[in-house]
Every structure is written in structure tokens, then in C-alpha cells.
Amino acid sequence: MGDLTTAASAPANQTVCNSNKFSLPMAEPKKYIIAPDDSDLSSKTWLTNGRSEHYGHDTAANQAIRERLRQEADRSFQTGVTANESRRSDLAIAAFEQALRGYRKICDLPGMAKVSDALFILYYGQGNYWCAIDFAKKYYEIAKHLNSQKLQQRALSHMGNTYRHLEVHDKARSCMVQSVSLAQEMGKARPLMMALNNLGMVYKHVGQLAEAIDCYSQSLQLSQDLKDLTIEQQVLKNLGNAHHALGNHAQTVAAYDRLLQLDQGRMSTTMKNRILRQISTACCNLGRYRQAIAYSQQRLNLARTLNDPRSIIHVLDALCASCEAIDDFGQALTYHEERLQVALRVQDEVLIRQATVSLKQACMAVGDFDRFIKYMDHAMESI
């Protein structure tokens, strides 16, 4: 995804949640799993609706009741955490909502905050953005009551990321700008690093690539100052993508090359293949054909490992072009031969014809006509 949202591992199956309707350009959201007496959970007065004045008086009896209710809510919250870690999302939601009801009864705002945050993370991780935005708003409301800049900044990032996924661009940008501003006021490098990256993603999503690159560059510097290699890799990927979209070839190569250097085998094969394809293309555009060949050879190894013949043919075609660009026709001919062999193996007439024509041209370039006739005869027999 590319955004930096502090989230636990999301359950495999998306859970249906319950929410009031929002005025967003999406399909009507589904209902939460919440008891009737908590039907006001989405209203602006929800912070006070759970209050019981019988527990508010400072007596020993009421203090004991409040402590018992807090312990019950704490146990429910921990049950939710354990269930979520076990990818039992329905149980996690039920436990978190029970904890939220308990904390509301005693007006425990910090408790309500951590549950709202947990429910946001769960729904956001599932891609259930209607429910996620509702709990992000709750979290923000609590943060304001607690007068906590730290929680407000986090909640604004939650809201900005979710609005981005909902394609409510003005709200996404507004929330992220406020999140960055609060992080700067607090003087906290890590929240600022994450907020800048997320704001960059909002800008890129609406096509403001120059602004996105500026945010990514600042986030990258902070990640390097903090020596956070995991975040640095994520920001480098985003930065490289933005430069690639703008056609900034040198900057694309610099970002992707650093990203590949940092990779310790954690990058998905699909992602690595895409990065290698884009960096090799950028190198060709810069006339750095030998560098392009090195990256394309890595792509070829990936395709061979996956035993993906069509990907192999695509990479071999790129290798042929790069080799011919530096007049290495002998190596280009070797790649042309392999390309034809792979095309014959998949028995695709179009690919065989294309590979045959390319091989003929390569053979003519080096004057090896016997070699061409050999493969041409083989190709004709196989069609």
C-alpha cells in the first residue's frame, strides 16, 4: 500500500461493521455489530452518553465499582488484542466493543481512545474504510477532549489515509496537512516522517507529483536520520514511483537503486520485478545500457525462478535491445536464441514469428547465416 499507518496484522476476512451514513461518494455502509443501547455511538455526543453519575461521586464504594468496571474493560480489550492477533476478527470486534462500553460507563477517555484506535486499525487493515473512518473520527474527538497533540496527530493521519482510500481528496489533504503541522509543533521526528510520507501519497493520488516528491524527500531524510531502514525502503519506493511518473530518470535510478541495495529478501517478487523493470527502463533512457543490462539480468533470474515463459521472453527482448545499443551483437544473438527457444516451448505462433524475425536480424548483423537457417528451419517445423 505504501502508507505508514501503525496497524496490527489484519484478519484474513473483512468483517461487516455497523455505522451511520456519511455524506461520502460511496455505496451505503453496512451496520455495526453494536447493542441497541449503544446505537448513539456515532453521534457527536457519544463521549458522554455512557456516563453513569452513580459512579462519579468520590466515595469508596463508587471508586471500587469504577475500578471493577475498568478491570473488566481491560480484560475485554486484551481479549480483543489476542483475538485479532489470532486473526479472529469477529471475536476481536465483539471484545473491543464490550471494552468500549465498559470504558464509557466510567468516562475513561484514555481507555476509549485505545479501543477506538484498535478498532480503526482492525477495519483499516481489512480495507473496510467506512468503519475505519468512523472510529478515526471518534479517536480524534477523544484526543481533543484529552488535549493530547500526540493523539490528535495520530488520529488526523488515520483520517487522512482513510479519506485517501475513499477518494475524498480534499479531506484527505486537509487531515494530512494538519497532521504534519502538529508533528512539527511537537518536534517529533518519527510522527513527522510518517505524516510527510502519507501527505506525499495524497499529493501523488491527485497528480501533484512535484509536491509529492517534496514530501517524500523530507520523509526520506528523516528516516535516514533515524536509521529506520524499514521506513526508508517504503519511502524510497514511493519516491522512485513519483520520479518515474514524472520522467525524472536519474532520480528514479537513484531511488530504486538504493531501495534494491537495502532489500534483504523481504520485497515481494512482483514488486521487485516491477522495480527492476522501471529502473532498467530509466537507465536506457539515460543511455546507461550496461547498467540496464545488469538490472534486466536480475529480472531474468526472477522470471526463470518463477518459470514464467512470457516474462522471460519480455526480459530477453529488453536485453537484446540493450546489448545491440552497445554493439554487443554476440551477446544479443545469444539472448535472441533463448527467446526463440522459449517461444517454441510455449508453442505460440505470434511469439515464434516475432522471435524468428529478430533472430534473423541479429544473425545478419554478425554475418552468421548458417545459425539463422538452423533456427528458422526448426521454427517452421514446430509451427
Side-chain angles (χ1 to χ4, degrees):
M1 199 166 354
D3 58 349
L4 303 179
T5 298
T6 305
S9 178
N13 298 319
Q14 179 171 308
T15 305
V16 175
C17 79
N18 272 291
S19 173
N20 292 339
K21 298 178 183 178
F22 291 97
S23 57
L24 300 178
M26 296 284 290
E28 179 177 327
K30 299 178 181 177
K31 293 288 183 183
Y32 287 118
I33 308 168
I34 289 179
D37 62 331
D38 279 327
S39 60
D40 62 342
L41 197 59
S42 298
S43 70
K44 291 185 177 180
T45 58
W46 77 286
L47 282 172
T48 57
N49 285 348
R51 180 176 299 176
S52 172
E53 296 298 337
H54 296 295
Y55 311 139
H57 301 297
D58 191 17
T59 66
N62 282 337
Q63 287 178 1
I65 293 172
R66 286 175 61 85
E67 184 58 30
R68 176 177 59 79
L69 291 173
R70 179 177 287 106
Q71 290 176 1
E72 290 175 358
D74 288 343
R75 284 194 294 271
S76 295
F77 178 76
Q78 190 54 51
T79 297
V81 170
T82 302
N84 193 39
E85 290 173 348
S86 303
R87 305 179 72 81
R88 300 172 66 188
S89 57
D90 289 340
L91 178 58
I93 288 171
F96 283 145
E97 289 181 347
Q98 184 175 350
L100 186 56
R101 283 189 281 269
Y103 289 129
R104 288 180 71 210
K105 285 181 180 178
I106 56 176
C107 295
D108 185 336
L109 293 182
M112 292 164 68
K114 71 178 181 181
V115 179
S116 296
D117 189 37
L119 283 164
F120 164 81
I121 290 171
L122 191 153
Y123 285 126
Y124 184 90
Q126 292 178 336
N128 197 340
Y129 301 120
W130 278 108
C131 301
I133 194 63
D134 193 26
F135 281 103
K137 289 177 178 179
K138 291 174 171 56
Y139 187 38
Y140 183 59
E141 189 175 342
I142 297 167
K144 287 193 295 184
H145 276 73
L146 290 170
N147 196 28
S148 169
Q149 281 190 319
K150 178 181 178 181
L151 298 187
Q152 288 180 58
Q153 189 272 332
R154 179 178 170 86
L156 284 164
S157 283
H158 287 350
M159 292 165 65
N161 282 330
T162 310
Y163 278 130
R164 175 171 56 83
H165 285 291
L166 290 171
E167 297 189 352
V168 186
H169 305 308
D170 56 340
K171 290 187 178 180
R173 183 168 50 245
S174 175
C175 288
M176 281 306 180
V177 168
Q178 291 179 70
S179 178
V180 168
S181 179
L182 273 178
Q184 289 172 330
E185 284 183 31
M186 293 187 294
K188 300 294 185 181
R190 186 167 296 279
L192 180 58
M193 169 188 69
M194 299 175 74
L196 282 165
N197 178 75
N198 292 335
L199 178 57
M201 294 191 70
V202 172
Y203 281 131
K204 184 175 185 296
H205 202 67
V206 298
Q208 294 179 248
L209 295 174
E211 291 82 355
I213 287 171
D214 182 53
C215 290
Y216 292 146
S217 299
Q218 293 181 64
S219 181
L220 178 62
Q221 184 60 59
L222 288 168
S223 71
Q224 292 170 342
D225 291 344
L226 293 169
K227 295 181 170 50
D228 190 325
L229 296 181
T230 300
I231 301 302
E232 183 180 354
Q233 289 180 70
Q234 188 141 13
V235 178
L236 281 167
K237 177 178 68 100
N238 292 339
L239 182 60
N241 291 343
H243 279 303
H244 178 74
L246 266 183
N248 296 336
H249 305 307
Q251 295 90 334
T252 299
V253 172
Y256 285 155
D257 185 67
R258 171 65 177 165
L259 174 61
L260 292 169
Q261 290 177 30
L262 292 177
D263 180 45
Q264 300 295 322
R266 290 175 292 184
M267 191 185 301
S268 70
T269 301
T270 301
M271 177 61 68
K272 189 168 186 177
N273 180 67
R274 185 174 68 82
I275 297 298
L276 287 168
R277 173 172 54 82
Q278 292 182 176
I279 194 173
S280 60
T281 299
C283 287
C284 286
N285 288 326
L286 291 168
R288 302 178 189 173
Y289 296 108
R290 295 188 187 281
Q291 197 175 358
I293 289 169
Y295 291 124
S296 292
Q297 286 172 336
Q298 292 183 55
R299 275 189 73 203
L300 184 59
N301 291 335
L302 278 180
R304 285 171 174 164
T305 300
L306 296 172
N307 194 25
D308 184 345
R310 294 186 183 277
S311 292
I312 291 172
I313 289 173
H314 182 76
V315 181
L316 286 169
D317 188 40
L319 280 165
C320 290
S322 294
C323 287
E324 288 168 357
I326 58 173
D327 297 331
D328 189 352
F329 295 107
Q331 185 60 55
L333 185 56
T334 300
Y335 288 132
H336 279 298
E337 286 181 318
E338 183 177 354
R339 182 185 174 197
L340 178 57
Q341 290 168 356
V342 176
L344 290 168
R345 193 164 65 244
V346 298
Q347 290 294 295
D348 186 308
E349 291 186 21
V350 175
L351 293 177
I352 292 172
R353 191 173 296 109
Q354 291 172 344
T356 302
V357 171
S358 297
L359 181 55
K360 175 183 176 181
Q361 294 171 344
C363 288
M364 292 176 66
V366 297
D368 193 344
F369 299 103
D370 291 339
R371 199 173 189 179
F372 165 69
I373 292 171
K374 168 188 171 184
Y375 280 104
M376 187 175 69
D377 290 344
H378 190 188
M380 294 303 103
E381 292 171 3
S382 302
I383 296 178

